[in-house]
Amino acid sequence: MAMTGLSGTMAFAADLYVRNGGAGGAYSTVSAAITAASDGDRIIIQPKTNGTAYVENLTINKSLTFVSETSYNKYFIQGTITINPAAGRVVNISSLSSGNFTIYNVVASGPSTGGRTTINLYNCYLNNVNTNQANTTTNISGSTVSGGISFSHGRITANKAQSISANSTTTDTVPATTDIEVYGNKSDFGLTHSQSNYNFKFYNNFCRGVFVYAIKTGSSNEIINNTIYDPNGGDVAPFFINLNNGNTGNIAIMNNAASFVVGTTNVCIKNNNNATVTASYNVFTNSFVTEGNMSQSNNSGSVNMNFNNTDYTISGMNADAGNPDVSYTDLDLTRNDAGHYGGSNSWANYWPADSGGKPQVNYLVTPRTINSGTLNITGSGFSK
């Protein structure tokens, strides 16, 4: 067996400390530590007493890592955090709280040239994340975002946000080698995809809908094992594909469980015919109605299911309703349960009932069958 993953131990050039009032010879501001730091350094920030903020806007223009000095406690920075792009720049931010100030966001200041910028945000409390710049990879996990996440490429896992949007106004000149992956998130307003650089995979999210406005030409995209719950209703289908960039590609919609209040439309899946859509093993509490061309098989309407958008649970006839192929089996190796708890990317991977203070899983790929050769298991995580 060969195992590959992300090690929890990294080598840093130096550790720089930030403490209230510069106690113990530390820096008194995060900005001062950034100025003194070199690429590869780690800045360790002491949370202030009673949750008081470091009031400062930050400009990060080096490859740096930011962590809390106190385990399981976040440090509070009241200000905008701007990450300047550069080829090969990697910025890691863990345990940051931005407070309840909607004007203070994490932003990428512009596109990268000659290479890619990588931004990793773990276990944070943020207002908005706006990193939808060219040649920028954003990985976010275990974070609460009171506003929206807007990114151009990356892996978004186990976050609770108002909205999650993969979008970019320009084409990447230095393409990443991986797809856009959005796994195990809660999104109040839904998931949106409106860029043409990468394939996308939306798995095991609990959200209001999935809305696709652009895709990569010739791409293969997947919307699998999501739970869609919209108690308010609206004028678009919960699976809404309306390509406006002229590109064509494939979109598989499978093993999803959905319920929505009928507003101006009763359509479950809509395709404006520019994409090649395959819809299978989806279950709806609504009558199963589609609009536009798509290949359909084993979809069900008027199914009895119960949804809870506070605890993010689903129960009922979604159990064992997903694709019976072994590659989609649940964690207990039984048939796929339609919805966000089904399959190997189950919500349970990212949101265990009681983690016991253990490190948080933020990515896991677990093959279901082995015919011959080597089994490769890929996973990564971070400590809170």
Side-chain angles (χ1 to χ4, degrees), residues 11-15 38-42:
F12 297 95
D15 286 343
S38 299
D39 282 333
D41 286 353
R42 181 170 64 171

Side-chain angles (χ1 to χ4, degrees), residues 73-93:
N73 285 334
K74 293 180 174 64
Y75 51 90
F76 179 11
I77 296 178
Q78 183 180 329
T80 295
I81 297 176
T82 302
I83 300 170
N84 291 346
R89 178 161 294 160
V90 179
V91 175
N92 304 301
I93 301 176

Side-chain angles (χ1 to χ4, degrees), residues 74-75 77 79 81 93-102 104-107 119-131 138-149 159-162:
K74 293 180 174 64
Y75 51 90
I77 296 178
I81 297 176
I93 301 176
S94 176
S95 300
L96 162 69
S97 173
S98 295
N100 295 313
F101 297 91
T102 57
Y104 300 129
N105 304 313
V106 176
V107 301
I119 301 168
N120 300 315
L121 303 172
Y122 297 132
N123 188 35
C124 294
Y125 179 82
L126 307 169
N127 292 304
N128 293 284
V129 177
N130 298 316
T131 57
T138 305
N139 302 311
I140 309 176
S141 188
S143 297
T144 297
V145 182
S146 57
I149 299 172
N159 304 286
K160 294 179 179 178
Q162 191 174 69

Side-chain angles (χ1 to χ4, degrees), residues 3-73:
M3 297 187 69
T4 60
L6 175 66
S7 171
T9 302
M10 299 180 66
F12 297 95
D15 286 343
L16 290 76
Y17 286 82
V18 178
R19 295 182 179 131
N20 189 22
Y27 295 94
S28 61
T29 66
V30 181
S31 297
I34 293 173
T35 299
S38 299
D39 282 333
D41 286 353
R42 181 170 64 171
I43 296 177
I44 303 173
I45 305 170
Q46 179 189 59
K48 289 187 177 183
T49 304
N50 299 323
T52 305
Y54 293 91
V55 182
E56 51 184 316
N57 294 317
L58 303 183
T59 298
I60 302 173
N61 54 6
K62 302 166 186 176
S63 290
L64 298 172
T65 293
F66 299 81
V67 299
S68 174
E69 186 176 12
T70 308
S71 297
Y72 308 109
N73 285 334

Side-chain angles (χ1 to χ4, degrees), residues 59-265:
T59 298
I60 302 173
N61 54 6
K62 302 166 186 176
S63 290
L64 298 172
T65 293
F66 299 81
V67 299
S68 174
E69 186 176 12
T70 308
S71 297
Y72 308 109
N73 285 334
K74 293 180 174 64
Y75 51 90
F76 179 11
I77 296 178
Q78 183 180 329
T80 295
I81 297 176
T82 302
I83 300 170
N84 291 346
R89 178 161 294 160
V90 179
V91 175
N92 304 301
I93 301 176
S94 176
S95 300
L96 162 69
S97 173
S98 295
N100 295 313
F101 297 91
T102 57
I103 62 172
Y104 300 129
N105 304 313
V106 176
V107 301
S109 62
S112 298
T113 57
R116 299 190 63 80
T117 297
T118 301
I119 301 168
N120 300 315
L121 303 172
Y122 297 132
N123 188 35
C124 294
Y125 179 82
L126 307 169
N127 292 304
N128 293 284
V129 177
N130 298 316
T131 57
N132 56 332
Q133 300 286 349
N135 303 324
T136 300
T137 292
T138 305
N139 302 311
I140 309 176
S141 188
S143 297
T144 297
V145 182
S146 57
I149 299 172
S150 178
F151 71 109
S152 57
H153 170 266
R155 181 179 294 155
I156 312 299
T157 59
N159 304 286
K160 294 179 179 178
Q162 191 174 69
S163 63
I164 299 175
S165 176
N167 64 88
S168 179
T169 57
T170 58
T171 301
D172 281 7
T173 57
V174 184
T177 58
T178 56
D179 299 331
I180 288 173
E181 296 172 300
V182 179
Y183 296 170
N185 301 278
K186 185 275 292 184
S187 176
D188 294 328
F189 292 165
L191 311 177
T192 302
H193 188 274
S194 54
Q195 59 106 303
S196 56
N197 291 308
Y198 302 100
N199 301 334
F200 70 83
K201 296 178 179 177
F202 291 170
Y203 288 3
N204 295 87
N205 301 284
F206 190 107
C207 61
R208 187 172 173 179
V210 179
F211 314 109
V212 181
Y213 299 102
I215 58 176
K216 177 182 177 180
T217 294
S219 59
S220 294
N221 309 286
E222 297 176 328
I223 303 170
I224 295 179
N225 270 113
N226 301 279
T227 295
I228 308 298
Y229 180 63
D230 184 358
N232 301 314
D235 58 356
V236 297
F239 296 95
F240 183 75
I241 302 163
N242 187 28
L243 303 187
N244 55 24
N245 66 346
N247 292 351
T248 59
N250 300 313
I251 302 176
I253 303 174
M254 183 192 304
N255 300 344
N256 301 286
S259 179
F260 64 99
V261 172
V262 173
T264 57
T265 182

